Amino acid sequence: MTDAVLAVREFSRFYTGVIGLLGDYRLAAPYSLTEARVLYELGQADATDTLDLRTRLSLDPGYLSRIVAKLDAAGLVTSERSTVDGRRQVLRLTDAGREVQRDLDARSSEQVAGLLDGAAGTEREALVGALATVRSILSRTPRGPVSLRSLRPGDLGWVVQRHGARYAEEYGFDVTFEGLVAQIVGEFGLAGDDPNQAAWIAELDGEPVGCVFCTRKDEKVAQLRLLLVEPSARGAGVGTALVNECIRFATAAGYGEMMLWTNNILHAARRVYQRAGFTLEYEGPKPNFGVDLTEQVWRKAL
């Protein structure tokens, strides 16, 4: 059995224990967990086709029929023949059913809020990113293509905040790193519409998940700075798309070379740089941002 299989099984055992599924699960009382899930799904729309509901929840037709009959008898659900296809049934929650569904939903939210009580903001962000990755992998649902756009008002603040939070969470950097990022971003913003500089925000499914800046080192050399990819988007080609766009812009702007400064602990970023044709020029120890680091300078001819 592979390590991945063992890890998934171990997490399943852990989580079912955490939310109480192995014992006397009273959160959904007086309804079973499946009945509560059916009520939740019906609560997301005015009307729901029975076949669509069964497919969505992977339920046996007979089992779903018995659940619907029970909820109907309790005055929570109504069933009628579809006006589009007379062979199919459409389900709706009654007013009483919607009240029950809202109550169950509130109970579930309170339970999860209790689990997260005491977790730091950066821990919650890391959890959300990890859950998005798990869902994407296990559902095998392809994500939309990576899209890059130029900066909009508010983006510079987002860049500073995300760098500060991510690097503190993942590498233990102190506030001096966020200060450096704020300085770089501030200088970029004050430069206005400098045609020799640019920056991009990467989006996946309409959400910002990364960024990169191309700034002027000198008249002949461009500098790639502030490459960031959120954990939820790693593995989707975001870093490669950002670096390639930076190189494309620098080439079109007439620079003859591009350089970048980084640290050896940023393994994923270094792989992206190597694939893009950068070569390591210098490496040496340099404690910074409250941790022991090894700085690196990479260069690429354009």
Side-chain angles (χ1 to χ4, degrees):
M1 196 176 296
T2 66
D3 290 343
V5 171
L6 290 172
V8 171
R9 291 184 61 194
E10 182 178 353
F11 180 79
S12 295
R13 292 192 295 270
F14 162 76
Y15 190 65
T16 52
V18 165
I19 62 175
L21 290 183
L22 301 180
D24 184 18
Y25 188 73
R26 305 300 300 167
L27 180 68
Y31 308 99
S32 70
L33 184 61
T34 308
E35 291 165 355
R37 178 60 187 275
V38 169
L39 286 169
Y40 172 82
E41 295 294 337
L42 294 178
Q44 306 313 301
D46 176 61
T48 304
D49 186 285
T50 305
L51 179 59
D52 291 342
L53 179 63
R54 176 162 56 85
T55 302
R56 194 184 315 156
L57 299 182
S58 300
L59 291 178
D60 174 79
Y63 184 31
L64 178 59
S65 180
R66 291 191 295 273
I67 290 175
V68 170
K70 177 181 176 179
L71 298 177
D72 191 347
L76 306 182
V77 171
T78 62
S79 175
E80 60 188 42
R81 200 169 296 279
S82 170
T83 57
V84 177
D85 186 342
R87 297 167 298 176
R88 300 171 73 165
Q89 294 290 316
V90 172
L91 302 176
R92 285 186 171 85
L93 288 181
T94 64
D95 290 342
R98 289 199 177 275
E99 184 175 345
V100 168
Q101 188 272 316
R102 285 193 292 268
D103 177 62
L104 293 174
D105 197 46
R107 289 192 224 170
S108 181
S109 293
E110 288 174 6
Q111 182 192 39
V112 175
L115 293 176
L116 296 176
D117 187 35
T122 52
E123 292 176 320
R124 296 186 183 204
E125 291 166 1
L127 175 64
V128 170
L131 291 176
T133 300
V134 170
R135 182 172 182 175
S136 176
I137 293 172
L138 296 186
S139 67
R140 303 186 187 281
T141 301
R143 305 190 67 174
V146 179
S147 62
L148 305 184
R149 61 169 176 80
S150 56
L151 297 181
R152 299 171 183 164
D155 283 337
L156 293 181
W158 180 87
V159 170
V160 175
Q161 190 274 332
R162 296 314 301 150
H163 272 81
R166 286 264 54 82
Y167 279 77
E169 174 69 22
E170 297 185 35
Y171 306 109
F173 283 17
D174 63 21
V175 71
T176 60
F177 175 70
E178 191 170 352
L180 174 63
V181 176
Q183 179 182 342
I184 295 169
V185 166
E187 291 172 354
F188 181 90
L190 290 173
D193 296 327
D194 184 341
N196 296 305
Q197 298 192 130
W200 299 267
I201 298 292
E203 293 186 340
L204 266 179
D205 302 328
E207 296 294 328
V209 294
C211 62
V212 75
F213 285 58
C214 181
T215 64
R216 181 207 300 262
K217 182 68 174 175
D218 58 43
E219 289 188 359
K220 296 182 179 180
V221 181
Q223 183 170 0
L224 185 153
R225 311 190 82 170
L226 302 182
L227 175 67
L228 175 78
V229 179
E230 293 281 14
S232 62
R234 292 171 189 171
V238 175
T240 297
L242 287 166
V243 169
N244 287 344
E245 182 64 15
C246 204
I247 293 171
R248 183 205 62 75
F249 171 85
T251 302
Y255 290 108
E257 185 180 36
M258 175 169 275
M259 61 81 62
L260 63 91
W261 173 87
T262 188
N263 293 285
N264 70 329
I265 59 173
L266 304 179
H267 304 295
R270 286 164 47 205
R271 288 194 292 270
V272 172
Y273 301 145
Q274 288 175 308
R275 289 197 298 268
F278 285 87
T279 57
L280 180 63
E281 177 188 70
Y282 166 79
E283 182 176 51
K286 185 177 182 180
N288 215 344
F289 315 126
V291 294
D292 291 330
L293 296 172
T294 298
E295 66 176 355
Q296 297 179 333
V297 174
W298 295 70
R299 291 186 182 272
K300 172 183 172 64
L302 301 177

